[in-house]
């Protein structure tokens, strides 16, 4: 169990801080359980948008910001982007030292995602798996460690580490009759160009014989498709950057203010910044605090 949780870091398990990441995730899970949003994750965005609207905020979508001239005038601008995207948008406006750091930013291995519609659910051999919202499929610890070493080195393992989500168990409205949504993704090398669909199905079938026959629909999203879905997912990197010691602790560049990009009133707030990815929102919370301090100073000036 510990190895499976530690693998969320997309790092070889013998590297520093992978055990700390596992300990943090397990502690949160035991304290509060894994949260499941009723109606799907979109309901979280809908609720946040409603709060913003109550305070007079306005949301505009359908506009792709490619250059600084695409940004409207604002007291504060928050970039929920990978560092290289910030450098591409602001080009020569960034201080040279920041530009260099953002363009050197290292990305993690990728995720190959497959969503399934499954008749009757997944026929797990282990009865406890029928009650789990999230499962880690990787075999013994040594096997998980080996697959994480492989993808870090750019090698696609025959049996990749696969995460499976069965959120419908906590939120039955996601199902249609006895057809249930099951999401999954495999850890693959950064920018992996192959099709890992069969590898994902094979890994699930390994622990749930007969799964293949229950699939009534499936949709795959490769590492090449990931950036089209979310530009932050460079090469399939869903955690926005390699979480080595330096990037996990300091973010895109070593500084006491990792959210400050070197332009007054502009901040980076993505999962590339500390404390990294997760369903906690702390990257944005810390960046917002930095922006509020700037606004207070500006109002006093």
């Amino acid at each position: 169990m510990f190895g499976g949780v530690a693998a969320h870091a997309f790092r070889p398990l013998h590297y520093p801080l992978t055990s700390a990441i596992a300990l943090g995730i397990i502690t949160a899970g035991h304290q509060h359980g894994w949260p499941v949003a009723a109606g799907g994750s979109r309901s979280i965005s809908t609720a946040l948008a409603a709060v913003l609207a109550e305070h007079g905020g306005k949301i505009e979508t359908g506009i792709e910001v490619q250059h600084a001239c695409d940004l409207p005038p604002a007291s504060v601008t928050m970039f929920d982007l990978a560092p290289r995207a910030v450098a591409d948008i602001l080009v020569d406006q960034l201080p040279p030292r920041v530009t260099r750091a953002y363009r050197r930013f290292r990305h993690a291995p990728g995720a190959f995602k497959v969503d399934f519609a499954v008749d009757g659910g997944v026929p797990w051999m282990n009865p406890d798996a029928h009650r789990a919202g999230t499962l880690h499929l990787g075999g013994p610890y040594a096997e998980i460690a080996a697959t994480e070493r492989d993808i870090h080195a750019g090698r696609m393992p025959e049996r990749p580490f696969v995460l499976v989500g069965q959120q419908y168990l906590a939120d039955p409205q996601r199902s249609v009759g006895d057809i249930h949504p099951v999401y999954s993704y495999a850890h693959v090398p950064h920018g992996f160009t192959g099709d890992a669909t069969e590898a994902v199905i094979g890994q699930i079938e390994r622990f749930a014989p007969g799964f293949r026959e229950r699939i009534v629909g499936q949709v795959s999203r490769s590492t090449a498709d990931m950036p089209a879905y979310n530009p932050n997912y460079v090469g399939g990197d869903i955690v926005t950057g390699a979480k080595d010691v330096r990037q996990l602790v300091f973010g895109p560049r070593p500084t006491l203010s990792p959210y400050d990009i070197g332009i007054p009133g502009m901040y980076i707030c993505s999962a590339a910044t500390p404390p990294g990815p997760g369903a906690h929102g702390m990257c944005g919370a810390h960046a917002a605090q930095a922006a509020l301090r700037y606004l207070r100073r500006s109002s006093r000036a």
Side-chain angles (χ1 to χ4, degrees):
M1 182 184 71
F2 195 83
V5 178
H8 277 265
F10 282 84
R11 298 278 292 166
L13 300 188
H14 64 285
Y15 279 19
L17 293 188
T18 52
S19 59
I21 291 171
L23 186 61
I25 293 174
I26 288 177
T27 300
H30 277 72
Q31 178 68 24
H32 304 290
W34 294 114
V36 173
S41 297
R42 181 177 179 176
S43 62
I44 300 175
S45 299
T46 301
L48 291 171
V51 172
L52 181 64
E54 289 175 4
H55 289 79
K58 180 182 178 182
I59 297 174
E60 292 188 16
T61 60
I63 301 172
E64 184 176 0
V65 176
Q66 296 181 322
H67 306 286
C69 61
D70 298 325
L71 294 169
S75 299
V76 167
T77 301
M78 311 293 287
F79 292 95
D80 187 11
L81 298 172
R84 291 179 190 173
V86 178
D88 289 341
I89 290 172
L90 297 177
V91 195
D92 297 332
Q93 295 187 32
L94 280 178
R97 68 183 185 283
V98 178
T99 298
R100 289 192 297 270
Y102 282 10
R103 295 203 180 280
R104 287 198 303 263
F105 186 75
R106 298 180 305 283
H107 281 277
F112 189 102
K113 193 170 188 293
V114 189
D115 294 314
F116 299 101
V118 184
D119 189 0
V122 182
W124 301 108
M125 289 188 295
N126 187 325
D128 290 335
H130 291 274
R131 300 186 294 112
T134 303
L135 299 102
H136 302 140
L137 308 183
Y141 174 84
E143 182 180 324
I144 297 174
T147 59
E148 294 307 291
R149 286 197 302 270
D150 282 344
I151 64 165
H152 184 73
R155 300 185 297 267
M156 179 63 192
E158 180 180 352
R159 289 177 166 177
F161 179 72
V162 173
L163 289 95
V164 176
Q166 302 181 129
Q167 279 70 25
Y168 72 89
L169 295 173
D171 184 23
Q173 64 178 308
R174 301 188 184 198
S175 302
V176 179
D178 205 27
I179 306 298
H180 305 293
V182 176
Y183 88 76
S184 68
Y185 66 87
H187 287 189
V188 300
H190 182 84
F192 175 68
T193 57
D195 187 346
T197 304
E198 280 302 313
V200 171
I201 294 175
Q203 189 73 314
I204 298 176
E205 181 83 17
R206 175 185 175 191
F207 300 100
F211 168 72
R212 188 185 300 272
E213 286 69 33
R214 296 195 182 193
I215 300 172
V216 296
Q218 66 186 55
V219 177
S220 298
R221 183 177 290 151
S222 70
T223 59
D225 298 327
M226 283 290 187
Y229 169 73
N230 184 334
N232 282 353
Y233 296 164
V234 178
D237 171 15
I238 63 174
V239 297
T240 318
K243 301 310 173 190
D244 56 23
V245 175
R246 187 176 71 80
Q247 290 195 171
L248 184 63
V249 174
F250 296 106
R253 62 191 184 99
T255 172
L256 295 177
S257 181
Y259 315 100
D260 189 335
I261 67 173
I263 301 175
M266 291 190 172
Y267 301 88
I268 182 171
C269 60
S270 68
T273 60
H280 46 55
M282 294 310 299
C283 301
H286 292 323
Q289 290 296 323
L292 288 171
R293 288 192 296 269
Y294 164 77
L295 290 174
R296 294 188 191 105
R297 290 195 303 268
S298 299
S299 65
R300 292 194 298 265

